[in-house]
Amino acid sequence: MPDSLPSNSPSDSRSDSRPAVGRRTLLGAAAAATAAPVVLGSATRAAAAPAPRKKPRPLAGGGDLGPNVLVFDPSTPGIQARLDEVFQRQESAQFGTGRYALLFKPGTYNGLNAQLGFYTSIAGLGLSPDDTTINGDVTVDAGWFDGNATQNFWRSAENLALVPVNGTNRWAVAQAAPFRRMHVRGGLNLAPSGYGWASGGYIADSRIDGQVGPYSQQQWYTRDSAIGSWLNGVWNMVFSGVEGAPAQGFPDPPYTTLATTPISREKPFLHLQGSEYRVFLPEKRTNARGVTWGNGTPRGTSLPLTRFYVARPGVTAATLNQALSQGLHLLLTPGIYHLSEPLRINRANTVVLGLGYATLIPDGGVTAVKVADVDGVRLAGFLVDAGPVNSPTLLEIGPRGASRDHSANPTTVQDVFIRIGGAGPGKATTSMVVNSRHTIIDHTWVWRADHGDGVGWETNRADYGVVVNGDDVLATGLFVEHFNKYDVQWFGQRGRTIFFQNEKAYDAPNQAAIQNGSLKGYAAYRVGDAVTSHEGWGLGSYCYYNVDPTIVQHHGFAAPVRPNVRFHNLLVVSLGGQGQYECVINDTGSPTSGTSTVPSTVVSYP
């Protein structure tokens, strides 16, 4: 994500004068068969067969959550010291191996400031956020990166009530940092100290009693929430189902506001019933508006932890698949899991829930997760990290040709993040493929790394980010960046996207490297030629071709020109003139203008 913007912050007189540079450059290079019978004359005898394998013992559900899940209650001594210790380890560990979940039992906690670093999740264990109150703050700032918040990835807050010490909680994040099911009894500041560059973000099912101040945040998506007020916007602020949201105003102010979210189902979450851990599964809502928990106990079902195989790092993919074949769900405790075969999710209503950014690494070029064409699978809260051997795909929702109707009970993909490179060499031809109908992608960041280890135009080659083949798929909060070719390709009918954020790959060596037949560059978001119905709201694409600033990208968006293929509130931005867009969508929209880093917009298309 970029870090070059005019702040629009009333408190930040410096940001308008900053040079437009790309944020990444600041970090530097920073299957026992029995033999068939043998016929001898008229007699049939069974041929010698190998001894049948022993069936593996059934796996038990439930169990301890492991050493990287820290559970507190109000009487726990030294909570602040434990929080500080985790933060010290994780503050700047952008590509480190540490993974942590900080869980708070229901009750009231006083005087805490939980600063969150990388791969750290904080959550309450009540059914409502108001069951767990912190008189204090849950803070994300950017001191580790000189006040630049554009790399504050992979951290989350969930299911807590906060009473901020000074009245406003600071949550200065970038991608893959959800703020879910939170109640802030005060304001929320989305910018770092000093109002430096920021590039987030996502809020869902949350109530902020006071004002939300994005200040320098370039883009943001808020879904099914309630806010006191909203201060400003830079490029792309999108709201759906948000009580108190600002009125539609794009492009000036840059607000895209939908009164409701067409379909939503909140992320599963861990909670306590007495002393028993359970996982709550919120029910599906249609035309949703506001929070799910405002009238007390949310609607949905709760499963005991004994229905889950509680996985620890080091467990094999074979064991995880045994658990799934037994009918257990998976709870992935924090850590890194190497997979020699895909996780195969073949049963309807299976839940795979990660804690503390549990990370799946497919070895030998396998696909990390394959979901059958079944109802109601819930994937949530984990990271897929491509391995050094190219995987054709990393995550597959439904097999090729999937066609069953899942409208009553869709599969949801929530806070599932994908990374190619950065933590080491990684390759994948296509990151996420969605074949099942009615799938809901609710907040994902699919990222071909532009900094870190194992990064280069061919080193972490990844041609396609997200490919949607299934019909009736909905994306709410779609972040896809830096792929060598198309970032998103959508071939299913009646697809919908509410909020899209993209940045084209920085590192294209020259114009020829991105040439797409007669077109200059691959669109960030392409709708297939055979699609007759599609709709998108609040979509943005940025370019920063810093290796060769003369590169021209014809457009950010491509779609067939049909009356039921519709887009609302599109923008493209050239960051400081490092590359340029000629158009916004197809051949429509003005070119980006020189080095001014001013969006070119299209309010409605066609």
Side-chain angles (χ1 to χ4, degrees), residues 9 20 37 49 95 100 102 105 141 291 297 312 330 346 413 430 514:
S9 162
F95 298 112
Y100 293 91
L102 312 172
K105 295 181 181 182
D141 207 342
V291 301
T297 305
R312 299 275 198 94
L330 295 183
N346 297 323
V413 182
T430 304
I514 66 159

Side-chain angles (χ1 to χ4, degrees), residues 391-416:
S391 293
T393 57
L394 293 172
L395 173 61
E396 292 181 13
I397 308 301
R400 181 184 295 274
S403 60
R404 294 181 181 176
D405 187 323
H406 303 295
S407 56
N409 186 12
T411 285
T412 46
V413 182
Q414 299 178 284
D415 302 347
V416 173

Side-chain angles (χ1 to χ4, degrees), residues 186-244:
L188 188 64
N189 183 345
L190 303 178
S193 300
Y195 302 95
W197 294 318
S199 179
Y202 176 92
I203 293 171
D205 200 23
S206 293
R207 182 182 296 277
I208 293 89
D209 293 346
Q211 184 177 77
V212 181
Y215 300 103
S216 53
Q217 283 285 357
Q218 294 158 338
Q219 73 281 314
W220 199 275
Y221 175 51
T222 308
R223 179 182 63 72
D224 298 356
S225 294
I227 61 176
S229 62
W230 190 274
L231 177 63
N232 73 293
V234 176
W235 291 339
N236 195 29
M237 304 281 136
V238 180
F239 309 83
S240 68
V242 178
E243 297 169 353

Side-chain angles (χ1 to χ4, degrees), residues 8 42 164 172 182 184 196 206 237 279 370 407 415 429 549 555:
N8 285 13
S42 60
M182 297 288 287
V184 181
S206 293
M237 304 281 136
V279 173
K370 292 189 175 187
S407 56
D415 302 347
T429 304
H555 49 215

Side-chain angles (χ1 to χ4, degrees), residues 531-535 560-568 604-606:
V531 173
T532 58
S533 178
H534 187 93
E535 196 158 11
V561 182
R562 292 192 172 95
N564 288 325
V565 178
R566 301 189 296 264
F567 290 89
H568 316 273
S604 182
Y605 185 88

